[in-house]
Coordinates of all heavy atoms in Angstrom, one line a residue:
D369 N -70.4 -25.3 28.5 CA -71.4 -24.5 29.1 C -72.4 -23.9 28.2 O -73.5 -23.5 28.6 CB -70.7 -23.3 29.9 CG -69.8 -23.8 31.0 OD1 -69.9 -25.0 31.4 OD2 -68.9 -23.0 31.5
Y370 N -72.1 -23.9 26.9 CA -73.0 -23.3 25.9 C -73.2 -24.3 24.7 O -73.3 -23.9 23.6 CB -72.4 -22.0 25.3 CG -72.2 -21.0 26.4 CD1 -71.0 -20.9 27.0 CD2 -73.2 -20.1 26.8 CE1 -70.7 -19.9 28.0 CE2 -73.0 -19.1 27.7 CZ -71.7 -19.0 28.4 OH -71.5 -18.1 29.3
S371 N -73.4 -25.6 25.1 CA -73.5 -26.6 24.0 C -74.6 -26.4 23.1 O -74.6 -26.7 21.9 CB -73.6 -28.0 24.7 OG -74.7 -28.1 25.6
G372 N -75.8 -25.9 23.6 CA -76.9 -25.7 22.8 C -76.6 -24.6 21.8 O -77.1 -24.7 20.6
W373 N -75.9 -23.6 22.1 CA -75.6 -22.5 21.2 C -74.5 -23.0 20.2 O -74.6 -22.6 19.0 CB -75.0 -21.3 21.9 CG -76.1 -20.7 22.8 CD1 -76.2 -20.8 24.1 CD2 -77.1 -19.8 22.4 NE1 -77.3 -20.1 24.6 CE2 -77.8 -19.4 23.5 CE3 -77.5 -19.2 21.2 CZ2 -78.9 -18.6 23.5 CZ3 -78.5 -18.3 21.1 CH2 -79.3 -18.0 22.3
V374 N -73.6 -23.8 20.6 CA -72.5 -24.3 19.7 C -73.2 -25.1 18.6 O -72.8 -25.1 17.4 CB -71.5 -25.2 20.5 CG1 -70.6 -25.8 19.5 CG2 -70.7 -24.3 21.4
G375 N -74.2 -25.9 19.0 CA -74.8 -26.8 18.0 C -75.6 -26.1 16.9 O -75.8 -26.6 15.8
C376 N -76.2 -24.9 17.3 CA -77.1 -24.3 16.3 C -76.6 -23.0 15.8 O -77.0 -22.6 14.7 CB -78.4 -24.1 17.0 SG -78.4 -22.7 18.2
C377 N -75.8 -22.2 16.5 CA -75.7 -20.8 16.2 C -74.3 -20.2 16.2 O -74.1 -19.0 16.1 CB -76.5 -20.0 17.2 SG -78.2 -20.6 17.4
I378 N -73.3 -21.1 16.4 CA -71.9 -20.6 16.4 C -71.1 -21.2 15.2 O -71.0 -22.4 15.1 CB -71.2 -20.9 17.7 CG1 -71.9 -20.2 18.9 CG2 -69.7 -20.4 17.7 CD1 -71.3 -20.5 20.2
D379 N -70.6 -20.3 14.4 CA -69.8 -20.7 13.2 C -68.3 -20.3 13.4 O -68.0 -19.3 14.0 CB -70.3 -20.0 11.9 CG -71.8 -20.3 11.7 OD1 -72.1 -21.5 11.7 OD2 -72.5 -19.3 11.4
L380 N -67.4 -21.2 13.0 CA -66.0 -21.0 13.1 C -65.4 -20.9 11.7 O -65.7 -21.7 10.8 CB -65.3 -22.2 13.8 CG -65.8 -22.5 15.2 CD1 -65.1 -23.7 15.8 CD2 -65.6 -21.3 16.2
D381 N -64.5 -19.9 11.5 CA -63.8 -19.7 10.3 C -62.4 -19.4 10.6 O -62.0 -18.3 10.9 CB -64.4 -18.6 9.5 CG -63.9 -18.5 8.0 OD1 -62.8 -19.0 7.8 OD2 -64.6 -18.0 7.2
P382 N -61.5 -20.5 10.6 CA -60.1 -20.3 11.1 C -59.1 -19.8 10.0 O -57.9 -19.8 10.3 CB -59.8 -21.7 11.5 CG -60.5 -22.6 10.6 CD -61.8 -21.9 10.3
E383 N -59.6 -19.4 8.9 CA -58.7 -19.1 7.8 C -58.0 -17.7 7.8 O -56.9 -17.5 7.3 CB -59.4 -19.2 6.4 CG -60.0 -20.6 6.2 CD -58.9 -21.7 6.2 OE1 -57.8 -21.4 5.6 OE2 -59.2 -22.8 6.7
A384 N -58.7 -16.8 8.4 CA -58.2 -15.4 8.4 C -56.8 -15.3 9.1 O -56.6 -15.8 10.2 CB -59.2 -14.4 9.1
Q385 N -55.9 -14.6 8.5 CA -54.5 -14.4 9.0 C -54.3 -12.9 9.5 O -53.2 -12.7 10.1 CB -53.5 -14.7 8.0 CG -53.5 -16.2 7.5 CD -53.2 -17.1 8.6 OE1 -52.2 -17.0 9.3 NE2 -54.1 -18.1 8.8
N386 N -55.2 -12.1 9.3 CA -55.1 -10.7 9.7 C -56.5 -10.0 9.8 O -57.5 -10.6 9.4 CB -54.1 -9.9 8.8 CG -54.6 -10.0 7.3 OD1 -55.7 -9.7 7.0 ND2 -53.6 -10.4 6.5
T387 N -56.5 -8.8 10.2 CA -57.8 -8.1 10.4 C -58.5 -7.9 9.1 O -59.7 -8.0 9.0 CB -57.5 -6.7 11.1 OG1 -56.8 -6.9 12.3 CG2 -58.8 -6.0 11.4
F388 N -57.8 -7.6 8.0 CA -58.4 -7.4 6.7 C -59.1 -8.7 6.3 O -60.3 -8.6 5.8 CB -57.3 -7.1 5.7 CG -57.9 -7.0 4.3 CD1 -58.5 -5.8 3.8 CD2 -57.7 -8.0 3.4 CE1 -59.0 -5.7 2.5 CE2 -58.2 -8.0 2.1 CZ -58.9 -6.8 1.7
E389 N -58.5 -9.8 6.5 CA -59.1 -11.1 6.2 C -60.3 -11.4 7.1 O -61.3 -12.1 6.7 CB -58.1 -12.2 6.2 CG -57.1 -12.0 5.0 CD -56.0 -13.1 5.0 OE1 -56.1 -14.1 5.9 OE2 -55.1 -13.1 4.1
N390 N -60.2 -11.0 8.4 CA -61.3 -11.2 9.3 C -62.5 -10.5 8.8 O -63.6 -11.1 8.8 CB -61.0 -10.6 10.7 CG -60.0 -11.4 11.5 OD1 -59.2 -10.8 12.2 ND2 -60.1 -12.7 11.5
A391 N -62.3 -9.2 8.3 CA -63.5 -8.5 7.8 C -64.0 -9.1 6.5 O -65.2 -9.1 6.3 CB -63.0 -7.0 7.5
R392 N -63.1 -9.6 5.7 CA -63.6 -10.3 4.4 C -64.4 -11.5 4.7 O -65.5 -11.7 4.1 CB -62.3 -10.7 3.6 CG -62.6 -11.4 2.3 CD -61.4 -12.3 1.9 NE -61.1 -13.3 2.9 CZ -59.9 -13.9 3.0 NH1 -59.0 -13.7 2.1 NH2 -59.7 -14.9 3.9
D393 N -64.0 -12.3 5.7 CA -64.8 -13.5 6.1 C -66.1 -13.1 6.7 O -67.1 -13.8 6.5 CB -63.9 -14.4 7.0 CG -62.7 -15.0 6.4 OD1 -62.6 -14.9 5.1 OD2 -61.8 -15.5 7.1
A394 N -66.1 -12.1 7.5 CA -67.3 -11.6 8.2 C -68.3 -11.1 7.1 O -69.5 -11.3 7.2 CB -67.0 -10.5 9.2
M395 N -67.8 -10.4 6.1 CA -68.6 -9.9 5.0 C -69.3 -11.1 4.3 O -70.6 -11.0 4.1 CB -67.8 -9.2 4.0 CG -68.6 -8.7 2.8 SD -67.5 -8.1 1.4 CE -66.7 -9.6 0.9
R396 N -68.6 -12.1 4.0 CA -69.2 -13.3 3.3 C -70.3 -13.9 4.2 O -71.4 -14.3 3.7 CB -68.1 -14.3 3.0 CG -67.1 -13.9 1.9 CD -66.0 -14.8 1.8 NE -65.0 -14.4 0.9 CZ -63.8 -14.9 0.8 NH1 -63.4 -15.9 1.6 NH2 -62.9 -14.5 -0.1
W397 N -70.0 -14.1 5.5 CA -70.9 -14.7 6.4 C -72.2 -13.9 6.6 O -73.3 -14.4 6.5 CB -70.2 -14.9 7.8 CG -71.0 -15.4 8.9 CD1 -71.3 -16.7 9.1 CD2 -71.5 -14.7 10.0 NE1 -72.0 -16.9 10.3 CE2 -72.2 -15.7 10.8 CE3 -71.6 -13.4 10.3 CZ2 -72.8 -15.3 12.0 CZ3 -72.2 -13.0 11.5 CH2 -72.8 -14.0 12.3
A398 N -72.0 -12.6 6.7 CA -73.1 -11.7 6.8 C -74.0 -11.7 5.6 O -75.2 -11.7 5.7 CB -72.7 -10.2 7.2
R399 N -73.4 -11.7 4.4 CA -74.1 -11.7 3.1 C -74.9 -13.1 3.0 O -76.0 -13.1 2.6 CB -73.2 -11.6 2.0 CG -72.4 -10.3 1.9 CD -73.3 -9.1 1.7 NE -72.6 -7.9 1.3 CZ -72.9 -6.7 1.7 NH1 -74.1 -6.5 2.4 NH2 -72.2 -5.6 1.4
D400 N -74.2 -14.2 3.4 CA -74.9 -15.5 3.3 C -76.2 -15.5 4.2 O -77.1 -16.2 3.8 CB -73.9 -16.6 3.8 CG -72.8 -16.8 2.7 OD1 -73.0 -16.4 1.6 OD2 -71.8 -17.5 3.1
H401 N -76.1 -14.9 5.3 CA -77.2 -14.9 6.3 C -78.2 -13.7 6.1 O -79.1 -13.6 6.9 CB -76.7 -15.0 7.7 CG -76.1 -16.3 8.0 ND1 -76.8 -17.5 8.3 CD2 -74.8 -16.6 8.1 CE1 -75.9 -18.5 8.5 NE2 -74.7 -18.0 8.4
K402 N -77.8 -12.8 5.1 CA -78.6 -11.6 4.9 C -78.8 -10.8 6.1 O -79.9 -10.3 6.4 CB -80.0 -12.0 4.3 CG -79.9 -12.7 2.9 CD -81.2 -13.1 2.4 CE -81.1 -13.6 0.9 NZ -80.2 -14.7 0.8
F403 N -77.7 -10.6 6.9 CA -77.7 -9.8 8.1 C -77.6 -8.3 7.7 O -76.8 -7.9 6.9 CB -76.6 -10.2 9.1 CG -76.9 -11.5 9.7 CD1 -75.8 -12.2 10.3 CD2 -78.1 -12.1 9.8 CE1 -76.1 -13.4 11.0 CE2 -78.4 -13.3 10.4 CZ -77.3 -13.9 11.0
S404 N -78.3 -7.4 8.4 CA -78.2 -6.0 8.2 C -77.6 -5.3 9.4 O -77.4 -4.1 9.4 CB -79.6 -5.4 7.9 OG -80.5 -5.6 9.0
S405 N -77.3 -6.0 10.5 CA -76.6 -5.4 11.6 C -75.8 -6.5 12.3 O -76.1 -7.6 12.4 CB -77.6 -4.9 12.6 OG -78.5 -5.9 13.0
L406 N -74.6 -6.0 12.8 CA -73.6 -6.9 13.5 C -73.1 -6.3 14.7 O -72.8 -5.1 14.7 CB -72.5 -7.3 12.5 CG -72.8 -8.0 11.3 CD1 -71.5 -8.1 10.4 CD2 -73.3 -9.4 11.6
I407 N -72.9 -7.1 15.7 CA -72.1 -6.6 16.9 C -70.7 -7.2 16.7 O -70.5 -8.4 16.5 CB -72.7 -7.2 18.2 CG1 -74.1 -6.7 18.4 CG2 -71.8 -6.9 19.4 CD1 -74.9 -7.4 19.6
L408 N -69.7 -6.3 16.8 CA -68.3 -6.6 16.6 C -67.6 -6.7 18.0 O -67.6 -5.8 18.7 CB -67.6 -5.6 15.7 CG -66.1 -5.8 15.6 CD1 -65.7 -7.1 14.9 CD2 -65.5 -4.6 14.8
V409 N -67.0 -7.9 18.3 CA -66.3 -8.1 19.5 C -64.8 -8.3 19.2 O -64.4 -9.1 18.4 CB -66.8 -9.4 20.2 CG1 -66.0 -9.6 21.5 CG2 -68.3 -9.2 20.6
T410 N -64.0 -7.4 19.8 CA -62.6 -7.6 19.8 C -62.0 -6.7 20.9 O -62.7 -6.1 21.7 CB -62.0 -7.1 18.4 OG1 -60.6 -7.5 18.3 CG2 -62.2 -5.6 18.2
A411 N -60.7 -6.7 21.0 CA -60.1 -5.9 22.1 C -60.2 -4.4 21.9 O -60.3 -4.0 20.7 CB -58.6 -6.3 22.2
D412 N -60.2 -3.7 22.9 CA -60.4 -2.2 22.8 C -59.3 -1.6 21.9 O -59.6 -0.7 21.1 CB -60.4 -1.5 24.2 CG -59.2 -2.0 25.1 OD1 -58.3 -2.7 24.6 OD2 -59.2 -1.5 26.3
Y413 N -58.0 -1.9 22.1 CA -57.0 -1.3 21.2 C -57.1 -1.7 19.8 O -56.7 -1.0 18.9 CB -55.6 -1.8 21.7 CG -55.3 -3.3 21.6 CD1 -54.9 -3.8 20.5 CD2 -55.6 -4.1 22.7 CE1 -54.7 -5.2 20.3 CE2 -55.3 -5.5 22.6 CZ -54.9 -6.0 21.4 OH -54.7 -7.3 21.3

């Protein structure tokens, strides 16, 4: 349903094993793209 977005704008990083590593991978990704703002999606709890 979102093939156009998958091809250009969605990155997968399957290495993280916990929340700390999720944040570490997100930090690298954000630095690489020089992002200054992020929307974080996860469960409420």
